[in-house]
Amino acid sequence: MKKLLFALFALAMIASLGCAVTDYPFITDSRGDYSGLIRTAHKAYIVPSAGVATIYPDGSDNLFSMVLQNQYGDQTLYTFNNYDPTASVLFLDQTYCDWRYEGCEIFNAWNPRQNDDVFDGQMFDDCSGARSLSLLLAMGTRNGECGDTIWSDQQSLASVFADLDTTTWRGGSAYVVPVHAGNTNVTLTSVAGTTESAPIFGNFTGFITEDLNIAVPMTPNARHELNYVRGWVAANGNQASVAITYEGVSTEVPVTFLPDGLGNNAGRF
């Protein structure tokens, strides 16, 4: 979990991370003498490893995904935006598991049990939050859906950040996570095998809340990171394996970059 959180954070730093889930494990359950695939009957909120918000002068975007699964295990995945015009970063609260979100979908992806392209889908540029969508994410493991989260004790899990400084954030505490060339290394590997170490421009500071949500201010340094990634994608294609090391913690994440999303974000500075 620690590795995944730091991976998300580093990706947020280099790619202005707003991600859409395009591949998700089958949803199963055990009920009485039945055990196997289930039909969700309506969209179900996908519990993220960490909520991520990008902060702009005109408000903050917090993208989230939902899944609709039929009795055969075929899924449709949707990505929406929890927008806050005050930029106060009010993360989506799913305490009551409200699936009745009818806002404009930024991205949807058909995810059948067989013959699936894990990074396919359709984007809707005119929807709120489309500006922040820069990555497509194939989830190899299932954190759970609203009401069925596997990570049941996220509060105590925050103890892994004990060595980080803290600050006050929206009435609570948050961990301050500095990112610079001295503590962060990001390596991009293309489908063809081309490998390149991404430069880290200047210093970034982000915040991880006690609920393990991630907030990333979109500072001017982000423009340099975005333009570097845009150039890399133009030369090497938009699918990559991203290897990340932060303060000695390493992980690797397969992603698909969205050039339009990267360009939209870069153009905002």
Side-chain angles (χ1 to χ4, degrees), residues 97-112:
C97 296
D98 188 1
W99 54 270
R100 298 169 298 174
Y101 188 85
E102 299 298 335
C104 184
E105 61 196 60
I106 304 166
F107 200 92
N108 68 37
W110 172 237
N111 186 37

Side-chain angles (χ1 to χ4, degrees), residues 68-142:
L68 176 67
Q69 178 172 292
N70 66 21
Q71 65 269 34
Y72 306 110
D74 300 324
Q75 300 172 344
T76 303
L77 298 160
Y78 305 86
T79 297
F80 300 102
N81 184 32
N82 172 38
Y83 175 68
D84 176 14
T86 70
S88 298
V89 193
L90 301 176
F91 284 101
L92 185 67
D93 184 356
Q94 277 290 3
T95 301
Y96 300 103
C97 296
D98 188 1
W99 54 270
R100 298 169 298 174
Y101 188 85
E102 299 298 335
C104 184
E105 61 196 60
I106 304 166
F107 200 92
N108 68 37
W110 172 237
N111 186 37
R113 285 187 70 185
Q114 297 179 333
N115 302 321
D116 181 37
D117 177 356
V118 298
F119 289 123
D120 62 347
Q122 184 177 8
M123 184 170 179
F124 301 92
D125 293 321
D126 56 345
C127 292
S128 169
R131 65 178 179 179
S132 293
L133 181 56
S134 300
L135 292 171
L136 302 181
L137 179 64
M139 294 187 66
T141 58
R142 177 180 163 222

Side-chain angles (χ1 to χ4, degrees), residues 6 9 14 16 22 74 88 96-97 125 158 160 208 239 256:
F6 280 139
F9 189 86
I14 68 163
S16 198
T22 59
D74 300 324
S88 298
Y96 300 103
C97 296
D125 293 321
V160 300
I208 299 179
Q239 293 194 14
T256 290

